[in-house]
Amino acid sequence: MNNKPTAAAAALALSLMAISAAHAGRPLQTEDAGVIESGACEWETATGQSKPRSGPSERQLATTVQCGLPWQAQIGGTVGRTKVAAERESNRGLVGKVRLWPRGEDQPERALTLAGSLLQIKPPSGRFGDVDSGEIKLVYSGAVAEAWTVHASLGHARESGQGLRARATTWGLALEQEGFAALPALAPMFELLGNDRDSRPAWNAGLRLTAIKDRLWLDVSYGRSWVSPDKPRLITAGVKLDF
């Protein structure tokens, strides 16, 4: 990032205008309550560009591998990098989820999950661990109509290091369609995101293509700040592979 305040704002607005392969259910940024089955794994990568009306673009890349555990949980590792002009910032860390309710069901119509991430950030001209970032979220997913699912999350994010310490409450609300009869492989979705440190929420619209059933997905998204003089926009593309 260009400076410390910018870095703090970006971390605390993680659910607003950032990409992260650690977030399940791409191209949504709102976490979903689904958990990987025990013994199965998934690889997910995403790239994006955030472009304000004035100033340099921010290019982002994130990759995550996660595997399911026997007790309805999953854990994995993630790496990412961000480039603004000539400055580069990298991150690495752990991500995971555990289902709180219901227990003993593989595909419930409703689910409540606790999700979290813990990252080490390497700022420009710094080292990994100079800045630490973490987030924990309570996530609900449930069917609201045939082929329609709502996802809602409420979380707490924090960042500290290099003389800065910041915290925020984050939220997300998303609606996902499993695919229309004429185009069953295409799943559209829409979400709203925000946090208590910024009065300007953001919206994000995405489209996911099932390239190989239960195995390979491609996705794209477009989002921007809802009310902002600069109205930064975020365009992303991603791939997910189950194995």
Side-chain angles (χ1 to χ4, degrees):
M1 300 294 179
N2 288 325
N3 50 49
K4 292 178 182 179
T6 301
L12 294 178
L14 193 62
S15 63
L16 279 175
M17 298 299 291
I19 70 163
S20 173
H23 288 79
R26 273 203 47 84
L28 291 174
Q29 295 184 56
T30 302
E31 186 72 66
D32 66 46
V35 175
I36 302 172
E37 293 183 6
S38 176
C41 296
E42 70 177 32
W43 167 78
E44 191 172 50
T45 188
T47 183
Q49 177 176 326
S50 179
K51 174 62 176 170
R53 185 169 296 174
S54 60
S57 298
E58 179 177 294
R59 297 182 181 274
Q60 307 162 33
L61 177 66
T63 298
T64 302
V65 176
Q66 297 190 77
C67 294
L69 301 175
W71 46 90
Q72 294 192 332
Q74 67 186 58
I75 193 169
T78 182
V79 294
R81 68 184 183 194
T82 300
K83 181 180 178 182
V84 181
E87 295 190 337
R88 291 179 173 85
E89 180 179 280
S90 301
N91 65 74
R92 64 186 183 188
L94 297 175
V95 295
K97 289 195 287 187
V98 59
R99 180 177 293 157
L100 304 177
W101 172 86
R103 308 293 294 179
E105 293 187 37
D106 292 331
Q107 298 293 333
E109 291 186 0
R110 296 176 300 277
L112 188 66
T113 296
L114 188 66
S117 64
L118 184 62
L119 303 178
Q120 288 185 326
I121 299 173
K122 178 181 178 294
S125 303
R127 299 176 299 175
F128 275 111
D130 284 353
V131 179
D132 293 320
S133 176
E135 187 173 16
I136 188 167
K137 292 179 285 190
L138 188 64
V139 187
Y140 170 82
S141 293
V144 292
E146 185 176 357
W148 289 91
T149 302
V150 65
H151 308 290
S153 68
L154 181 65
H156 179 77
R158 58 90 182 163
E159 183 179 87
S160 61
Q162 292 194 329
L164 63 88
R165 182 180 295 272
R167 300 176 182 272
T169 298
T170 63
W171 60 268
L173 182 63
L175 187 62
E176 178 179 352
Q177 221 282 345
E178 295 179 5
F180 297 103
L183 297 168
L186 288 175
M189 53 205 73
F190 182 82
E191 65 187 332
L192 297 175
L193 309 117
N195 66 62
D196 67 337
R197 300 300 183 184
D198 192 339
S199 60
R200 301 166 297 182
W203 60 265
N204 185 52
L207 189 65
R208 183 191 302 128
L209 170 67
T210 302
I212 302 176
K213 187 177 180 181
D214 299 327
R215 182 60 60 90
L216 179 65
W217 296 263
L218 310 175
D219 63 74
V220 293
S221 73
Y222 177 86
R224 67 189 312 164
S225 177
W226 196 283
V227 180
S228 171
D230 200 29
K231 290 189 177 179
R233 64 181 184 271
L234 177 68
I235 302 171
T236 78
V239 179
K240 186 176 83 168
L241 175 67
D242 281 7
F243 59 96

